[in-house]
Amino acid sequence: MRDRLTAHRLDIVDGNGVPRLVLSAPTPDPRIDGVRIPRRYPVSGIAIYDAKGSERGGIGIADIPGGAPVLALDHKNFDAIGWKVLPDGSVDFGINSAGAQTVQRIRVHVAADGTPNIDLSDKEERPRLRLTVDRNGLGAIQFLDRNGAIIQSLGGDRL
């Protein structure tokens, strides 16, 4: 009996020989409709593919300084949702709209200092509405202009 199998990559293929799950260090660049797209940063982990061989998600560790656990589930041609735990202690969860390009419309973020935010963004990915808890522990709803400046706030320090 063997206690350990060592490999850089393991492909699980379907009946047609199409890789459906790849366990790799690092994972290959994503393929969308047969076209390879460079990854933003190397990731070691599991990549998941549809029956056509296009990447549709994955889980792993981003090979950046300090490492970052990541998980993504994809629309047909780009990220739909993604989670990141960053080396500074912050955590991100994003939801992207379906369409011709990736646009993050909802972002749930906990900063390294513990400050939570939920941002709702416009079609240009600019946050326009934010739910947060301020430094005094008070909840606030903030309305933002196109440059990110708060134009109105309800609750928080402004009570």
Side-chain angles (χ1 to χ4, degrees):
M1 177 200 279
R2 212 167 185 195
D3 292 334
R4 181 175 174 173
L5 173 66
T6 303
H8 286 286
R9 179 174 169 161
L10 175 64
D11 291 6
I12 305 299
V13 299
D14 64 17
N16 295 318
V18 176
R20 300 300 299 273
L21 185 127
V22 173
L23 175 60
S24 185
T27 57
D29 285 337
R31 235 177 50 183
I32 308 296
D33 293 329
V35 177
R36 288 219 179 266
I37 299 165
R39 244 181 238 295
R40 285 182 232 151
Y41 39 79
V43 175
S44 293
I46 299 169
I48 304 165
Y49 300 87
D50 65 19
K52 295 181 179 179
S54 291
E55 187 174 293
R56 296 301 299 265
I59 185 168
I61 302 293
D63 295 327
I64 61 174
V70 295
L71 185 144
L73 299 174
D74 301 341
H75 289 292
K76 181 181 176 202
N77 56 355
F78 56 84
D79 295 345
I81 59 174
W83 292 268
K84 293 184 272 192
V85 179
L86 298 168
D88 68 358
S90 63
V91 179
D92 263 325
F93 171 68
I95 301 173
N96 303 321
S97 62
Q101 62 181 1
T102 301
V103 176
Q104 189 173 76
R105 299 301 301 270
I106 300 172
R107 179 181 183 223
V108 178
H109 178 77
V110 178
D113 69 2
T115 303
N117 288 326
I118 299 174
D119 290 347
L120 304 180
S121 297
D122 62 19
K123 290 181 182 179
E124 281 74 43
E125 209 170 282
R126 296 178 300 229
R128 302 308 292 264
L129 177 67
R130 176 172 293 140
L131 303 175
T132 191
V133 176
D134 71 17
R135 64 186 172 276
N136 297 315
L138 300 172
I141 301 171
Q142 300 170 338
F143 298 87
L144 308 163
D145 68 13
R146 66 185 313 124
N147 298 314
I150 299 170
I151 56 176
Q152 184 177 7
S153 184
L154 303 172
D157 288 336
R158 298 179 189 234
L159 282 175

